[in-house]
Amino acid sequence: MSQIAFILLCHKDPQGIIDKAERLTAAGDYVAIHFDGRASDTDYARIRSALDENPHVAFAPRRVKCGWGEWSLVKATLLALETAVEAFPRATHFYMISGDCMAIKSAEYAHAFLDAEDVDYIESFDFFESDWIKTGLKEERLIYRHFFNERENKWLFYRSLELQKALGLSRRIPEDLEMRIGSQWWCLRRNTVEAILDFCRQRRDVLRFFSTTWIPDETFFQTLVPHLVPRAEIRTRTLTFLMFTDYGMPVTFYNDHYDLLLSQDYLFARKISPHAHELKRRLGELYNATGVHFQISNEGTRLFKFLTQRGRVGRRFAPRFWESEASLGRDRQLLIVACKKWHVAKRLIDRIREVAGLPVIGYLFNEQDTPLPDLGGIQTTIEKRHRHRRALMRMLFDYYDTKRLVICLDPASIDLMRDFYSDRGETRLLEVQCSFSDEYLIGHAKRVGLMGENAPRETAELILPTIRRSVAEESEAIRDEGFPHLYVMRDGWEPQLNARPLAQFLDLSEDRAREIAETDYLFAD
C-alpha cells in the first residue's frame, strides 16, 4: 500500500501548518517541511516545538529565503525532498503541497488512487510548442540569465534583460534536455525522486542553467522527469485542483465550495481562503474518514468559465459563488492619504513604511508609472485599475500578505473614496492640506493639461483664481461627504500637532507618529 511523504513549502500561519501536519500524519503519511527563510523565526520555532516529537514529520536542514519566480523555490524543494527520502524509507510517493493546499479526498481514497497505477503525476508539456504560457516572456525565460526578482526589483529585472538582448548575451539550452513546462504541484514515485536527486549530484551544469532561469519551479522537475522516466509511466496532469482567473491569479475557494471540491477528480485543492474556517474544518475531518464515497463529476473548470463569462454579478445564479468583487475583506483596513501635492504624500508614505512597517503604494489610480507588482495584467493601465478597483486592491492585500495597506489618492478622486468607504472593510482617510504658491498651481495646470507649456503669463493669471478655488472645493467636498475616520494634517502646523491625527490614522503612539511628522522637507516643493 502507498505511503505519501508530503513536501510542504510554507511561509506563514504556524498553527495552520501544525494542524495540517498532524492531520496528514494521523493517517500514516509523512510530512517534510520547508519554512521560508524570510518568514518569522518565532513562527518557525513554534512549528518545531509542536512537531519535533512527531516521528512522521521532518524539517529541511536549512531554511532558504524564497522569492517568487526564483531558483530558491526549487532549492527549497530539493532540500525537503532529500530530507524526506532519508527520513522516511517507507514512503512510496512524494507529493508537493503548499500551506494553502488542503486534501479534498480521504487518505483512504488517495492511497487507493495511487495504488491503482505505478506512475508519476506531473504536468509536462513541450515548452516551445504548447500554449501553456499564455502571455509574457517565453523563450526569454531560458536563453537569458535572470539575477533579479521580477516582483521586488522590476526595473533591474527588465533592464538586465534588455541589456543582455542588446549585447547578444543569449545562451544555449543543455543539448540533451527537451525543455518541458507545467504546474509545480506534482506527485512522484520514490524511484523517480531518487533518480532526480542522483541527477542533481551528477549534473551540476544543469543546476547552474536552471538557477538563472525565470520561474524554474515550472520547468525544472517538469523537464527532468521525462528525461529520467519512460513516458508510459508519466501521467501529464496534476493531482491538485487549481484554477486561474483571466488575470493569472489563482482562484480562491470558500466555505460554499465544499461539495464542488469533493466532486473533482483530484486529491488536493489550492488556494483555500485563510478565512474559510468551516471549509477547513470539514476538509480536515474528511482526510481521516473511512468508507466515504465520492461522486466524481469534474465540472469545476467548466463551471467556473461559464460563471465568469456571465458578465455582471446580477446575471450569475448567485451573488458570490466563486468570488465577489464587492468587498476588500471585512477584516482588512485601507488607509488612504489624500494630498494634492503628490511629492509630499510620497515622502509621507515612505516614512510610514520606515517607521510603522506598513506596505505603502503611491498614486496607483492617478499615476500610470506607480510601481506595482505583476498581478496578471490587471495593473497595467489606469483604466484597468479603475475598472477592477476592488479586485486590484484585494490582490495587493494578498500580494503583501497584510491586513493593513496605505495608498495615495488625489483629493479629486472622491468617487474612489466613496467606493472604498462603502466596503465592508474599514477605510480611513488622512487629508494632507498644503499651501500653494502661484508657481506651483501654474505647474499643476500644465501637468493636467489646463495650460500649454508655452502659455503666456497673462493666461495663467486669468485662470489662477479658478484653479485655486477648485483645489479648495476638492477639500471641502471630502468634508461634505461626512466620512468616518477622517483625519487632517496641515502644512504650517508644528510636528506635534500633525502627530496627533497621524497617530490616530495609523494606530501609532504619538511619539512614533511624531518621528514621521518631523520628516525633513516633508512639505517642501
Side-chain angles (χ1 to χ4, degrees), residues 208-290:
R208 283 193 297 272
F209 170 79
F210 278 104
S211 69
T212 52
T213 60
W214 188 41
I215 322 183
D217 52 317
E218 293 179 352
T219 54
F220 181 76
F221 294 99
Q222 297 77 1
T223 296
L224 293 194
V225 171
H227 182 75
L228 300 168
V229 175
R231 298 296 173 93
E233 297 178 18
I234 300 172
R235 297 292 174 266
T236 304
R237 59 159 297 187
T238 176
L239 296 181
T240 298
F241 180 53
L242 69 162
M243 297 183 298
F244 291 89
T245 68
D246 292 340
Y247 300 109
M249 301 300 291
V251 171
T252 301
F253 299 107
Y254 298 92
N255 291 333
D256 52 353
H257 296 138
Y258 178 80
D259 292 327
L260 180 131
L261 290 175
L262 265 58
S263 68
Q264 305 311 303
D265 187 21
Y266 297 86
L267 304 184
F268 276 70
R270 75 179 306 267
K271 301 173 73 170
I272 307 298
S273 168
H275 311 297
H277 302 298
E278 179 64 11
L279 178 61
K280 288 183 174 181
R281 182 190 65 79
R282 297 177 73 184
L283 292 177
E285 293 174 355
L286 175 68
Y287 191 70
N288 287 288
T290 58

XYZ file of all heavy atoms in Angstrom, residues 208-290:
707
model
N 23.196 24.721 -12.681
C 23.640 26.104 -12.922
C 22.742 26.777 -13.962
O 22.413 27.952 -13.841
C 25.096 26.123 -13.390
C 26.112 25.913 -12.274
C 27.520 26.265 -12.733
N 27.967 25.400 -13.818
C 28.573 24.232 -13.639
N 28.791 23.783 -12.417
N 28.964 23.510 -14.673
N 22.355 26.016 -14.980
C 21.481 26.574 -16.009
C 20.137 26.991 -15.411
O 19.671 28.126 -15.586
C 21.269 25.555 -17.128
C 20.202 25.957 -18.114
C 20.474 26.881 -19.114
C 18.917 25.425 -18.027
C 19.484 27.269 -20.010
C 17.931 25.800 -18.922
C 18.209 26.721 -19.914
N 19.497 26.069 -14.687
C 18.175 26.369 -14.140
C 18.233 27.435 -13.045
O 17.235 28.127 -12.800
C 17.518 25.105 -13.595
C 16.847 24.278 -14.647
C 17.435 23.105 -15.114
C 15.626 24.657 -15.184
C 16.815 22.333 -16.084
C 14.997 23.897 -16.157
C 15.594 22.728 -16.611
N 19.386 27.578 -12.394
C 19.471 28.526 -11.283
C 19.320 29.969 -11.735
O 19.043 30.848 -10.909
C 20.786 28.353 -10.528
O 21.880 28.768 -11.321
N 19.503 30.248 -13.032
C 19.296 31.604 -13.528
C 18.205 31.669 -14.591
O 18.137 32.617 -15.372
C 20.603 32.190 -14.098
O 21.171 31.277 -15.045
C 21.603 32.483 -12.994
N 17.337 30.641 -14.659
C 16.138 30.759 -15.484
C 15.065 31.449 -14.662
O 15.158 31.572 -13.443
C 15.635 29.388 -15.967
O 15.313 28.580 -14.821
C 16.656 28.685 -16.817
N 14.040 31.914 -15.357
C 12.934 32.593 -14.669
C 11.797 31.595 -14.442
O 11.429 30.852 -15.337
C 12.471 33.783 -15.507
C 11.477 34.658 -14.805
C 11.502 35.045 -13.504
C 10.305 35.251 -15.373
N 10.425 35.847 -13.218
C 9.679 35.997 -14.352
C 9.731 35.237 -16.648
C 8.498 36.703 -14.563
C 8.572 35.953 -16.862
C 7.965 36.677 -15.829
N 11.280 31.561 -13.252
C 10.204 30.656 -12.803
C 10.607 29.194 -13.027
O 9.896 28.433 -13.698
C 8.849 30.964 -13.475
C 8.640 32.476 -13.633
C 7.699 30.373 -12.653
C 7.300 32.874 -14.221
N 11.740 28.761 -12.491
C 12.202 27.391 -12.741
C 11.347 26.322 -12.071
O 11.434 25.150 -12.455
C 13.624 27.395 -12.164
C 13.609 28.449 -11.117
C 12.701 29.512 -11.654
N 10.503 26.685 -11.086
C 9.648 25.661 -10.478
C 8.589 25.158 -11.459
O 7.956 24.143 -11.200
C 8.982 26.197 -9.201
C 8.268 27.511 -9.406
O 8.832 28.394 -10.079
O 7.144 27.677 -8.888
N 8.431 25.843 -12.599
C 7.509 25.384 -13.636
C 8.223 24.609 -14.740
O 7.568 24.114 -15.666
C 6.757 26.572 -14.243
C 5.802 27.247 -13.262
C 5.071 28.436 -13.875
O 5.418 28.831 -15.022
O 4.161 28.986 -13.223
N 9.562 24.509 -14.674
C 10.304 23.831 -15.745
C 11.281 22.770 -15.257
O 11.574 21.818 -15.990
C 11.094 24.864 -16.588
O 11.915 25.654 -15.710
C 10.160 25.779 -17.353
N 11.819 22.899 -14.043
C 12.896 22.025 -13.589
C 12.439 20.566 -13.475
O 12.927 19.681 -14.200
C 13.440 22.524 -12.253
C 14.581 21.697 -11.712
C 15.844 21.810 -12.240
C 14.368 20.801 -10.673
C 16.899 21.042 -11.739
C 15.403 20.040 -10.161
C 16.675 20.151 -10.704
N 11.511 20.285 -12.585
C 11.032 18.910 -12.418
C 10.276 18.439 -13.659
O 10.348 17.265 -14.035
C 10.138 18.814 -11.170
C 10.867 19.066 -9.892
C 10.810 20.305 -9.262
C 11.640 18.069 -9.305
C 11.491 20.546 -8.080
C 12.326 18.297 -8.118
C 12.255 19.544 -7.505
N 9.574 19.364 -14.294
C 8.782 19.027 -15.482
C 9.670 18.578 -16.638
O 9.244 17.795 -17.488
C 7.928 20.241 -15.891
C 6.911 20.667 -14.862
C 7.497 21.439 -13.685
O 8.716 21.701 -13.610
N 6.647 21.814 -12.752
N 10.913 19.074 -16.672
C 11.873 18.667 -17.702
C 12.613 17.391 -17.309
O 12.808 16.483 -18.137
C 12.881 19.808 -17.951
O 12.188 20.947 -18.474
C 13.955 19.377 -18.937
N 13.007 17.285 -16.043
C 13.820 16.145 -15.614
C 13.033 14.834 -15.575
O 13.581 13.778 -15.906
C 14.427 16.411 -14.236
C 15.479 17.520 -14.132
C 16.217 17.424 -12.810
C 16.476 17.448 -15.284
N 11.782 14.873 -15.162
C 11.035 13.616 -15.029
C 10.946 12.871 -16.365
O 11.286 11.680 -16.437
C 9.641 13.864 -14.409
C 8.793 12.594 -14.485
C 9.781 14.311 -12.955
N 10.533 13.505 -17.485
C 10.512 12.778 -18.763
C 11.905 12.380 -19.248
O 12.043 11.451 -20.056
C 9.855 13.768 -19.728
C 9.167 14.761 -18.876
C 9.970 14.852 -17.621
N 12.940 13.098 -18.771
C 14.314 12.748 -19.139
C 14.760 11.465 -18.437
O 15.589 10.723 -18.976
C 15.238 13.913 -18.759
C 16.669 13.707 -19.120
N 17.138 13.814 -20.417
C 17.751 13.390 -18.359
C 18.434 13.577 -20.431
N 18.838 13.320 -19.203
N 14.193 11.195 -17.264
C 14.648 10.083 -16.435
C 13.670 8.909 -16.382
O 14.049 7.817 -15.951
C 14.902 10.578 -15.004
C 15.964 11.687 -14.847
C 15.912 12.281 -13.453
C 17.349 11.123 -15.145
N 12.428 9.145 -16.790
C 11.373 8.139 -16.625
C 10.720 7.872 -17.985
O 10.471 8.811 -18.754
C 10.304 8.652 -15.616
C 9.139 7.679 -15.517
C 10.936 8.880 -14.246
N 10.417 6.612 -18.310
C 9.715 6.324 -19.568
C 8.386 7.074 -19.644
O 7.663 7.179 -18.650
C 9.491 4.808 -19.505
C 10.539 4.304 -18.573
C 10.742 5.380 -17.561
N 8.063 7.595 -20.818
C 6.853 8.390 -20.982
C 5.595 7.603 -20.597
O 4.608 8.183 -20.128
C 6.734 8.890 -22.424
C 7.857 9.810 -22.866
C 7.872 11.118 -22.075
N 9.038 11.936 -22.370
C 9.073 12.889 -23.299
N 8.010 13.119 -24.046
N 10.163 13.608 -23.473
N 5.627 6.288 -20.794
C 4.458 5.472 -20.462
C 4.164 5.465 -18.971
O 3.059 5.114 -18.548
C 4.654 4.041 -20.970
N 5.154 5.852 -18.153
C 4.981 5.852 -16.701
C 4.691 7.245 -16.152
O 4.795 7.487 -14.957
C 6.229 5.273 -16.032
C 6.484 3.826 -16.386
C 7.745 3.288 -15.747
O 8.238 3.910 -14.779
O 8.264 2.249 -16.201
N 4.304 8.158 -17.037
C 4.011 9.535 -16.623
C 2.577 9.886 -17.017
O 2.174 9.653 -18.169
C 4.975 10.538 -17.279
C 6.418 10.230 -16.893
C 4.615 11.975 -16.882
C 7.444 11.055 -17.659
N 1.820 10.400 -16.082
C 0.506 10.949 -16.375
C 0.663 12.471 -16.345
O 0.952 13.047 -15.301
C -0.540 10.501 -15.357
C -0.771 9.009 -15.357
C -1.455 8.541 -16.658
N -1.551 7.077 -16.718
C -0.662 6.290 -17.304
N 0.399 6.832 -17.900
N -0.822 4.985 -17.331
N 0.471 13.092 -17.504
C 0.714 14.525 -17.632
C -0.470 15.300 -17.066
O -1.295 15.864 -17.794
C 0.982 14.907 -19.098
O 2.064 14.122 -19.581
C 1.365 16.382 -19.218
N -0.536 15.305 -15.772
C -1.595 16.033 -15.066
C -1.148 16.263 -13.629
O -0.224 15.607 -13.138
C -2.915 15.242 -15.070
C -2.808 13.862 -14.431
C -4.167 13.330 -13.997
N -4.774 14.162 -12.971
C -5.909 13.843 -12.332
N -6.533 12.713 -12.625
N -6.399 14.626 -11.406
N -1.776 17.181 -12.972
C -1.548 17.397 -11.547
C -2.691 16.767 -10.766
O -3.807 16.651 -11.285
C -1.452 18.903 -11.220
O -1.326 19.066 -9.814
C -2.674 19.663 -11.697
N -2.412 16.350 -9.548
C -3.465 15.824 -8.674
C -4.007 16.903 -7.742
O -4.805 16.612 -6.847
C -2.923 14.647 -7.858
C -2.494 13.419 -8.666
C -2.001 12.309 -7.740
C -3.636 12.914 -9.538
N -3.571 18.132 -7.969
C -4.036 19.267 -7.167
C -4.942 20.144 -8.018
O -4.534 20.638 -9.073
C -2.842 20.091 -6.639
O -2.046 19.256 -5.794
C -3.316 21.297 -5.843
N -6.162 20.333 -7.562
C -7.166 21.113 -8.291
C -6.884 22.600 -8.078
O -6.918 23.098 -6.955
C -8.557 20.752 -7.770
C -9.683 21.484 -8.452
C -9.804 21.481 -9.825
C -10.635 22.166 -7.700
C -10.840 22.148 -10.454
C -11.684 22.825 -8.311
C -11.790 22.814 -9.694
N -6.607 23.305 -9.160
C -6.390 24.737 -9.085
C -6.830 25.362 -10.392
O -6.798 24.733 -11.455
C -4.929 25.069 -8.794
C -3.868 24.804 -9.857
C -2.611 25.602 -9.531
C -3.511 23.327 -9.946
N -7.292 26.581 -10.309
C -7.731 27.325 -11.488
C -7.202 28.744 -11.392
O -6.849 29.217 -10.317
C -9.258 27.337 -11.574
C -9.874 25.959 -11.737
S -11.659 26.029 -11.927
C -12.143 26.757 -10.371
N -7.183 29.413 -12.542
C -6.678 30.773 -12.589
C -7.714 31.696 -13.221
O -8.442 31.300 -14.127
C -5.376 30.847 -13.394
C -4.223 30.169 -12.707
C -3.967 28.816 -12.910
C -3.410 30.872 -11.839
C -2.922 28.182 -12.271
C -2.353 30.251 -11.192
C -2.116 28.904 -11.404
N -7.751 32.940 -12.736
C -8.630 33.942 -13.315
C -8.027 34.448 -14.620
O -6.910 34.091 -14.997
C -8.796 35.139 -12.358
O -7.531 35.823 -12.267
C -9.224 34.671 -10.971
N -8.776 35.340 -15.293
C -8.267 35.934 -16.527
C -7.016 36.763 -16.284
O -6.288 37.089 -17.213
C -9.337 36.836 -17.170
C -10.514 36.027 -17.701
O -10.340 34.809 -17.913
O -11.590 36.615 -17.899
N -6.767 37.137 -15.025
C -5.601 37.951 -14.703
C -4.431 37.111 -14.224
O -3.448 37.628 -13.703
C -5.980 38.995 -13.643
C -7.070 39.920 -14.111
C -8.348 39.848 -13.577
C -6.830 40.850 -15.112
C -9.361 40.679 -14.025
C -7.819 41.687 -15.569
C -9.081 41.607 -15.026
O -10.075 42.430 -15.475
N -4.529 35.788 -14.368
C -3.431 34.920 -13.997
C -3.297 34.693 -12.505
O -2.259 34.209 -12.047
N -4.335 35.018 -11.738
C -4.299 34.832 -10.286
C -5.069 33.577 -9.913
O -6.118 33.278 -10.500
C -4.905 36.044 -9.572
C -4.200 37.351 -9.886
S -2.457 37.330 -9.405
C -2.599 37.297 -7.621
N -4.584 32.809 -8.926
C -5.294 31.592 -8.531
C -6.687 31.909 -7.983
O -6.873 32.874 -7.248
C -4.406 30.996 -7.428
C -3.075 31.654 -7.604
C -3.341 33.007 -8.163
N -7.652 31.096 -8.381
C -8.998 31.201 -7.817
C -8.952 30.725 -6.366
O -8.303 29.726 -6.048
C -9.989 30.345 -8.627
C -11.346 30.255 -7.929
C -10.154 30.913 -10.038
N -9.626 31.444 -5.485
C -9.654 31.096 -4.067
C -10.974 30.419 -3.728
O -12.037 30.828 -4.209
C -9.483 32.361 -3.200
O -8.229 32.969 -3.537
C -9.490 32.022 -1.721
N -10.919 29.381 -2.886
C -12.111 28.628 -2.513
C -12.585 29.010 -1.115
O -11.778 29.259 -0.217
C -11.831 27.126 -2.590
C -11.446 26.669 -3.972
C -10.136 26.307 -4.273
C -12.381 26.630 -4.994
C -9.780 25.905 -5.542
C -12.036 26.235 -6.279
C -10.726 25.876 -6.547
N -13.913 29.025 -0.955
C -14.533 29.465 0.292
C -15.446 28.368 0.850
O -15.534 27.273 0.299
C -15.318 30.755 0.049
C -14.442 31.904 -0.401
C -14.229 32.149 -1.760
C -13.799 32.727 0.518
C -13.412 33.191 -2.186
C -12.976 33.763 0.106
C -12.786 33.994 -1.250
O -11.973 35.012 -1.656
N -16.135 28.693 1.940
C -16.954 27.694 2.638
C -17.987 27.030 1.739
O -18.276 25.840 1.885
C -17.664 28.343 3.831
C -16.704 28.732 4.940
O -15.641 28.126 5.096
N -17.055 29.752 5.705
N -18.557 27.780 0.792
C -19.631 27.231 -0.036
C -19.123 26.391 -1.211
O -19.893 25.999 -2.084
C -20.549 28.347 -0.551
C -19.791 29.475 -1.230
O -18.551 29.470 -1.191
O -20.454 30.369 -1.785
N -17.849 26.074 -1.237
C -17.298 25.255 -2.318
C -17.037 23.811 -1.890
O -16.471 23.042 -2.667
C -15.975 25.866 -2.825
C -16.135 27.215 -3.457
N -15.270 28.256 -3.241
C -17.095 27.695 -4.284
C -15.664 29.311 -3.926
N -16.777 28.999 -4.563
N -17.456 23.437 -0.696
C -17.126 22.108 -0.174
C -17.604 21.002 -1.113
O -16.805 20.136 -1.527
C -17.753 21.930 1.213
C -17.517 20.563 1.827
C -16.306 20.250 2.449
C -18.506 19.578 1.783
C -16.088 19.006 3.009
C -18.302 18.331 2.346
C -17.094 18.056 2.953
O -16.885 16.812 3.502
N -18.871 20.979 -1.451
C -19.409 19.898 -2.287
C -18.782 19.897 -3.669
O -18.490 18.831 -4.233
C -20.937 20.036 -2.404
C -21.632 19.760 -1.080
O -21.122 18.918 -0.310
O -22.667 20.383 -0.811
N -18.561 21.073 -4.224
C -17.941 21.135 -5.546
C -16.525 20.580 -5.517
O -16.128 19.825 -6.413
C -17.935 22.579 -6.050
C -17.299 22.748 -7.431
C -18.191 23.575 -8.343
C -15.929 23.411 -7.306
N -15.744 20.910 -4.498
C -14.367 20.417 -4.416
C -14.323 18.902 -4.322
O -13.499 18.250 -4.960
C -13.659 21.047 -3.210
C -13.340 22.546 -3.316
C -12.745 23.054 -2.012
C -12.396 22.824 -4.474
N -15.218 18.329 -3.539
C -15.216 16.867 -3.369
C -15.549 16.135 -4.663
O -15.149 14.978 -4.851
C -16.220 16.458 -2.280
C -15.640 16.280 -0.866
C -14.977 17.551 -0.380
C -16.727 15.838 0.099
N -16.248 16.796 -5.570
C -16.661 16.127 -6.810
C -15.611 16.204 -7.910
O -15.817 15.652 -8.995
C -17.977 16.736 -7.316
O -17.776 18.069 -7.738
N -14.482 16.878 -7.644
C -13.444 16.988 -8.666
C -12.495 15.790 -8.632
O -12.254 15.206 -7.582
C -12.649 18.280 -8.472
C -13.512 19.532 -8.440
C -14.501 19.601 -9.582
O -14.111 19.546 -10.744
N -15.781 19.703 -9.262
N -11.937 15.455 -9.785
C -11.062 14.286 -9.914
C -9.629 14.652 -9.514
O -8.691 14.570 -10.312
C -11.103 13.776 -11.360
C -10.339 12.461 -11.520
O -10.141 11.773 -10.505
O -9.950 12.144 -12.658
N -9.493 15.087 -8.272
C -8.208 15.492 -7.721
C -8.142 15.057 -6.263
O -9.174 14.793 -5.637
C -8.022 17.011 -7.817
C -7.990 17.539 -9.229
C -9.180 17.855 -9.901
C -6.791 17.710 -9.905
C -9.164 18.332 -11.204
C -6.756 18.184 -11.202
C -7.942 18.496 -11.846
O -7.907 18.966 -13.138
N -6.924 15.051 -5.708
C -6.743 14.666 -4.318
C -6.623 15.876 -3.390
O -7.001 15.800 -2.222
C -5.487 13.792 -4.169
C -5.433 12.531 -5.032
C -4.170 11.728 -4.695
C -6.679 11.682 -4.839
N -6.064 16.982 -3.895
C -5.917 18.211 -3.112
C -6.462 19.381 -3.925
O -6.738 19.247 -5.129
C -4.445 18.471 -2.765
C -3.960 17.737 -1.545
C -3.803 16.359 -1.569
C -3.674 18.403 -0.371
C -3.373 15.663 -0.452
C -3.238 17.724 0.764
C -3.089 16.351 0.722
N -6.604 20.529 -3.252
C -7.012 21.760 -3.935
C -6.259 22.935 -3.335
O -5.878 22.927 -2.165
C -8.520 21.985 -3.787
N -6.028 23.953 -4.157
C -5.495 25.229 -3.695
C -6.067 26.320 -4.586
O -6.421 26.044 -5.748
C -3.967 25.239 -3.680
C -3.311 25.365 -5.042
C -1.815 25.392 -4.961
N -1.293 26.396 -4.069
C -0.937 27.623 -4.462
N -1.123 27.998 -5.715
N -0.422 28.468 -3.611
N -6.307 27.559 -4.078
C -5.952 28.013 -2.757
C -7.219 28.030 -1.900
O -8.252 28.528 -2.343
C -5.372 29.416 -2.819
C -4.131 29.553 -3.698
C -3.714 30.978 -3.852
C -3.075 31.557 -2.599
N -2.453 32.902 -2.855
N -7.084 27.546 -0.685
C -8.177 27.629 0.266
C -8.058 28.959 1.012
O -6.997 29.287 1.538
C -8.136 26.467 1.272
C -8.077 25.119 0.535
C -9.327 26.533 2.214
C -9.272 24.822 -0.350
N -9.140 29.736 1.048
C -9.091 31.031 1.725
C -8.706 30.863 3.194
O -9.226 29.982 3.884
C -10.454 31.720 1.644
O -10.512 32.833 2.519
N -7.826 31.716 3.706
C -7.477 31.635 5.135
C -8.666 31.930 6.038
O -8.653 31.605 7.225
C -6.375 32.694 5.291
C -6.545 33.614 4.129
C -7.084 32.783 3.015
N -9.722 32.539 5.466
C -10.901 32.873 6.258
C -12.013 31.828 6.141
O -13.045 31.966 6.781
C -11.441 34.240 5.826
C -10.388 35.298 5.763
N -9.674 35.710 6.879
C -9.889 36.002 4.712
C -8.802 36.627 6.519
N -8.901 36.822 5.216
N -11.796 30.787 5.329
C -12.817 29.752 5.146
C -12.694 28.705 6.258
O -12.336 27.544 6.024
C -12.676 29.112 3.765
N -12.989 29.110 7.482
C -12.760 28.245 8.648
C -13.635 26.989 8.603
O -13.185 25.900 8.955
C -13.011 29.033 9.929
C -12.151 30.255 10.063
N -10.770 30.177 10.130
C -12.458 31.577 10.117
C -10.267 31.394 10.230
N -11.270 32.259 10.217
N -14.882 27.141 8.170
C -15.774 25.982 8.109
C -15.305 24.996 7.042
O -15.324 23.779 7.246
C -17.203 26.452 7.804
C -18.230 25.333 7.691
C -18.444 24.566 8.995
O -17.963 25.014 10.048
O -19.090 23.500 8.946
N -14.862 25.501 5.887
C -14.345 24.630 4.834
C -13.112 23.886 5.321
O -12.971 22.670 5.105
C -14.012 25.464 3.590
C -13.400 24.705 2.404
C -14.350 23.626 1.895
C -13.023 25.671 1.279
N -12.210 24.576 6.002
C -11.005 23.933 6.525
C -11.361 22.835 7.533
O -10.763 21.752 7.529
C -10.094 24.974 7.178
C -9.391 25.908 6.200
C -8.459 26.840 6.962
C -7.638 27.687 6.030
N -6.717 28.566 6.765
N -12.328 23.141 8.393
C -12.722 22.149 9.408
C -13.283 20.892 8.747
O -12.890 19.762 9.084
C -13.768 22.746 10.343
C -14.207 21.805 11.469
C -15.412 22.334 12.214
N -16.588 22.403 11.369
C -17.345 21.343 11.059
N -17.026 20.138 11.501
N -18.412 21.482 10.283
N -14.165 21.062 7.774
C -14.806 19.909 7.127
C -13.798 19.088 6.318
O -13.817 17.856 6.342
C -15.952 20.378 6.242
C -17.070 21.066 7.007
C -18.154 21.575 6.085
N -18.970 20.482 5.540
C -19.932 20.655 4.639
N -20.192 21.869 4.164
N -20.631 19.624 4.192
N -12.904 19.780 5.593
C -11.897 19.055 4.813
C -10.894 18.362 5.732
O -10.425 17.257 5.427
C -11.170 20.013 3.868
C -11.998 20.597 2.714
C -11.159 21.579 1.896
C -12.549 19.498 1.805
N -10.579 18.999 6.850
C -9.667 18.376 7.802
C -10.222 17.084 8.365
O -9.508 16.082 8.508
N -11.504 17.080 8.691
C -12.148 15.865 9.204
C -12.242 14.788 8.130
O -12.166 13.590 8.424
C -13.532 16.204 9.732
C -13.523 17.095 10.975
C -14.922 17.533 11.382
O -15.884 17.224 10.629
O -15.062 18.176 12.443
N -12.392 15.222 6.894
C -12.577 14.272 5.788
C -11.349 13.393 5.574
O -11.474 12.203 5.280
C -12.883 15.052 4.501
C -12.982 14.240 3.214
C -14.214 13.345 3.245
C -13.036 15.163 1.992
N -10.135 13.945 5.721
C -8.930 13.202 5.335
C -8.779 11.910 6.121
O -8.314 10.899 5.578
C -7.681 14.076 5.507
C -6.459 13.441 4.866
C -6.360 13.362 3.477
C -5.426 12.918 5.626
C -5.263 12.769 2.871
C -4.323 12.328 5.028
C -4.245 12.250 3.651
O -3.174 11.658 3.054
N -9.182 11.890 7.363
C -9.025 10.690 8.185
C -10.308 9.863 8.287
O -10.360 8.912 9.073
C -8.524 11.084 9.579
C -7.063 11.506 9.557
O -6.176 10.689 9.389
N -6.827 12.797 9.690
N -11.311 10.230 7.498
C -12.556 9.458 7.487
C -12.374 8.196 6.647
O -11.496 8.113 5.780
C -13.687 10.307 6.923
N -13.175 7.197 6.903
C -13.138 5.946 6.127
C -14.518 5.653 5.563
O -15.538 6.107 6.085
C -12.680 4.769 6.998
O -13.585 4.637 8.116
C -11.268 4.979 7.514
